Amino acid sequence: MTSHNAMVHAAMKAALVLKRRAVLSAVRRWMVVAMLIIRAVTSLNVMDNAVP
């Protein structure tokens, strides 16, 4: 019974670690996307300002 509980505990801990890793990767991906969008918007604004 104790070994079963230990296995369940280990599985839950592994799931938490995987979930945290997935969240971190998703946040990183969204940060990259946001940076790309901001860069594109700023470049468009610069283009608009450059046109007289």
Side-chain angles (χ1 to χ4, degrees):
M1 195 63 187
T2 53
S3 61
H4 178 71
N5 283 346
M7 279 177 59
V8 169
H9 192 69
M12 282 174 59
K13 193 179 283 186
L16 275 174
V17 170
L18 284 174
K19 197 179 290 181
R20 198 173 298 152
R21 228 173 256 168
V23 167
L24 280 174
S25 64
V27 167
R28 209 168 288 151
R29 198 174 302 148
W30 277 114
M31 281 175 63
V32 170
V33 170
M35 277 178 58
L36 286 172
I37 291 173
I38 290 170
R39 200 171 293 164
V41 169
T42 51
S43 66
L44 280 175
N45 285 344
V46 168
M47 295 260 298
D48 285 345
N49 291 339
V51 174

